[in-house]
Amino acid sequence: MTKPLRIVFAGTPDFAAQHLAALIDSHHDVVAVYCPPDKPAGRGKKLTACATKQLALSHDLTVEQPANFKAAEDVAHLASYNADVMVVVAYGLLLPKSVLETPKLGCVNVHGSILPKWRGAAPIQRSLEAGDSETGVTIMQMDEGLDTGDMILTATCPITLQDTSNDLYQKLAELGPKALVEALDKMASGDYPRIPQDNALANYAHKLTKEEAELNFDQPADVLDRKIRALQPWPICQFNKLVGDKAHKIRVWKAQAIAQTATAAAGTIVSVTKAGIDVATSEGVLRLEQLQLPGKKPLSAADIINGRADWFQVGQDITQG
């Protein structure tokens, strides 16, 4: 067995905490954990520690929470840990060159895509939305660019026609920690690959916005299906339904493109059954299977129809009452 690496870990959400857990269970030595400052959460706006900090404290690990690394003393303090490598997973802070060069082997990142495809903020969602057949994680040597560093190891998994972003998140949360430990073992041996990315194959995974969650039935059914799955668990796709003079925002939690040709205008309800509310699109039919009315919890289409049959009539525009 190779000599354990001294690791400084930097991360924030549960996805990062699962990677930290794998490092704690490995033969490597986590000497410090970096997290952003605690943030107010809940109705009482009580300062709350992130998932990574909570896990670190439960294992009596030293936790550091600088606001950023602009101060020279913060970089000097990081250097005092004499780390071999800094592992960064969904940290949320931009690391300057001075930090990237502080550990002996630099900094490595776990990125939720098969690089160089889908660099950026929302790789899981964008790969699903684009209709990719697979996704994965890339263990990458960090540089000053945005997800542009050399690749050390890539692990992949398929994307199914039922997967939501949350499903893919869970898949990668299982795949990533194993890949990370494997990559660190290679680094500890001193014999590990550093494969430059082909920039010609790169594209960018833009950050999600609430505005893009609005459904447009002028798009094809399969495009809408993927979008609905991609924007879960946030911001959740929706459409406005005008009933009388009042607009109601209706969220769509589950839908599927079905093998049926629609001759009606896009947005027209073509069928209403217990299986769902079928809506014509520019290409094909989208079946709405689980909806959420304002102020209510998500319900099956059958339950929605039982309470609001007048809102969803065959021949009606889905956006009109």
Side-chain angles (χ1 to χ4, degrees):
M1 182 179 292
T2 56
K3 183 180 179 181
L5 294 175
R6 288 178 58 84
I7 296 171
V8 167
F9 184 87
T12 305
D14 181 67
F15 184 77
Q18 292 185 59
H19 287 76
L20 175 59
L23 296 183
I24 292 171
D25 291 340
S26 75
H27 73 290
H28 298 293
D29 186 15
V30 180
V31 296
V33 174
Y34 276 69
C35 305
D38 296 352
K39 294 182 178 180
R43 291 184 177 180
K45 297 299 181 182
K46 182 180 178 181
L47 285 178
T48 304
C50 67
T52 296
K53 178 180 178 179
Q54 292 179 41
L55 177 64
L57 293 178
S58 72
H59 287 271
D60 297 321
L61 296 174
T62 300
V63 174
E64 305 285 358
Q65 296 179 272
N68 51 53
F69 284 95
K70 292 181 179 179
E73 53 264 35
D74 288 332
V75 179
H77 188 62
L78 172 65
S80 71
Y81 284 107
N82 194 32
D84 293 306
V85 64
M86 184 172 183
V87 174
V88 182
V89 184
Y91 184 31
L93 291 181
L94 185 65
L95 300 182
K97 185 178 180 181
S98 58
V99 169
L100 298 177
E101 295 178 345
T102 293
K104 298 182 181 69
L105 299 175
C107 301
V108 297
N109 175 243
V110 180
H111 184 73
S113 80
I114 305 171
L115 289 172
K117 198 170 186 181
W118 301 122
R119 296 171 177 172
I124 294 174
Q125 295 91 336
R126 299 307 180 193
S127 63
L128 198 163
E129 187 178 23
D132 292 351
S133 61
E134 66 174 357
T135 185
V137 294
T138 303
I139 314 302
M140 172 194 69
Q141 189 84 41
M142 296 178 69
D143 61 17
E144 291 183 270
L146 180 63
D147 302 325
T148 55
D150 292 348
M151 300 177 292
I152 299 171
L153 188 148
T154 299
T156 65
C157 66
I159 299 177
T160 73
L161 296 178
Q162 291 74 44
D163 279 333
T164 65
S165 287
N166 191 56
D167 295 327
L168 294 185
Y169 179 97
Q170 297 302 326
K171 287 183 180 181
L172 299 191
E174 293 182 11
L175 193 66
K178 297 174 185 177
L180 173 61
V181 173
E182 181 181 347
L184 291 173
D185 288 346
K186 291 178 182 293
M187 295 179 74
S189 73
D191 181 20
Y192 64 99
R194 289 190 55 166
I195 304 168
Q197 295 186 39
D198 185 346
N199 291 328
L201 301 177
N203 59 354
Y204 184 67
H206 292 278
K207 184 179 180 180
L208 300 179
T209 66
K210 288 184 178 180
E211 289 74 21
E212 67 184 293
E214 193 73 28
L215 291 176
N216 178 1
F217 293 96
D218 286 328
Q219 292 182 306
D222 59 344
V223 171
L224 293 171
D225 173 16
R226 293 197 303 268
K227 184 174 184 176
I228 289 164
R229 290 185 285 118
L231 300 191
Q232 287 193 41
W234 189 90
I236 304 297
C237 284
Q238 61 185 26
F239 61 90
N240 281 318
K241 187 172 186 66
L242 187 64
V243 180
D245 59 354
K246 185 176 181 180
H248 301 267
K249 284 191 179 296
I250 299 180
R251 288 180 162 185
V252 181
W253 285 87
K254 187 176 181 182
Q256 66 168 314
I258 61 174
Q260 181 178 326
T261 301
T263 56
T268 303
I269 299 174
V270 296
S271 176
V272 178
T273 67
K274 290 182 179 180
I277 301 163
D278 294 352
V279 183
T281 70
S282 63
E283 293 180 27
V285 172
L286 185 71
R287 176 167 291 167
L288 307 180
E289 299 176 331
Q290 188 179 46
L291 304 174
Q292 183 178 10
L293 302 182
K296 306 293 183 180
K297 64 182 181 179
L299 294 172
S300 69
D303 288 336
I304 293 287
I305 293 164
N306 283 339
R308 293 289 186 181
D310 56 320
W311 283 21
F312 303 101
Q313 297 288 321
V314 173
Q316 191 179 60
D317 186 323
I318 189 71
T319 64
Q320 302 295 319

